[in-house]
Amino acid sequence: AYKDDKDRFIKAQNHEVKKEVMNDAVKYAKKDGLSQLGQYIYFDTLVKHGPGKNPQDPPRDWSFGAIREHAKENGVKPPSEGGNESSYLQNFVGKRYDATNDENDHNPDMDTDGTTDRLDFQMQQLDNGNLDLALPLSFKMNNTPFDLNQEKLNKLIWDNSFFFSN
């Protein structure tokens, strides 16, 4: 399908990502009282770890629901339960490091280079207090550097308006 009609394939793929992942990420982030950064962290977690709730499993098998549950351990709460957003999200991302590193340790054939770049970026934004993901942003994803400013974001939105529209 991609080879025959690249544009329609990408449009269909983006529609499914929005329907199956983005909507859930935003729903849970709003339920937990989280910011734009929290929405991004939840979205990234759902993409990487999938939905579900299996907190009894080893970290390498944790899903979004398990990570969310483990992030609330030791009295850490999301803002909707009276907690501090930065503290909660730092704990949440910390649990993602646990899950990702355990998965890497148990998959010796897996290319683990750059698998925590997104988590490093998320922690950096938390450390900087950038809960609204204010631009410009500089980051690495899978060891590839990116710079995002308003001009680049406008172009991305324009070029992919089908993804960002309702």
Side-chain angles (χ1 to χ4, degrees), residues 117-129:
D117 285 351
R118 293 188 314 273
L119 305 179
D120 297 342
F121 169 75
Q122 292 165 9
M123 281 296 209
Q124 180 186 34
Q125 297 313 301
L126 288 166
D127 291 344
N128 292 341

Side-chain angles (χ1 to χ4, degrees), residues 149-163:
N149 58 31
Q150 191 62 54
E151 182 181 335
K152 289 179 181 178
L153 182 61
N154 290 345
K155 182 175 178 356
L156 177 68
I157 291 170
W158 179 258
D159 290 347
N160 295 291
S161 61
F162 55 84
F163 179 72

Side-chain angles (χ1 to χ4, degrees), residues 8-34:
R8 288 185 67 197
F9 179 85
I10 291 171
K11 185 175 182 175
Q13 187 177 39
N14 286 340
H15 173 77
E16 286 303 308
V17 166
K18 182 178 179 183
K19 183 176 88 174
E20 298 297 328
V21 180
M22 181 66 80
N23 291 343
D24 283 346
V26 171
K27 176 182 76 173
Y28 284 110
K30 285 182 177 183
K31 180 178 180 182
D32 288 344
L34 302 179

Side-chain angles (χ1 to χ4, degrees), residues 7 16 19 35 38-39 41 46 51 58 71 81 85-86 94 106 162:
D7 291 338
E16 286 303 308
K19 183 176 88 174
S35 62
Q39 290 179 29
I41 290 171
L46 279 161
E81 296 175 22
E85 181 174 8
S86 290
H106 286 85
F162 55 84

Side-chain angles (χ1 to χ4, degrees), residues 31 39 45 48 54 63 94 100 102 110 121 123 143 155 163:
K31 180 178 180 182
Q39 290 179 29
T45 304
K48 168 80 169 106
N54 51 349
S63 63
T100 301
D102 191 43
M110 189 167 130
F121 169 75
M123 281 296 209
N143 284 325
K155 182 175 178 356
F163 179 72

Side-chain angles (χ1 to χ4, degrees), residues 37-57:
L37 178 59
Q39 290 179 29
Y40 162 63
I41 290 171
Y42 274 20
F43 172 79
D44 188 50
T45 304
L46 279 161
V47 168
K48 168 80 169 106
H49 301 279
K53 188 175 181 181
N54 51 349
Q56 71 286 351
D57 288 347

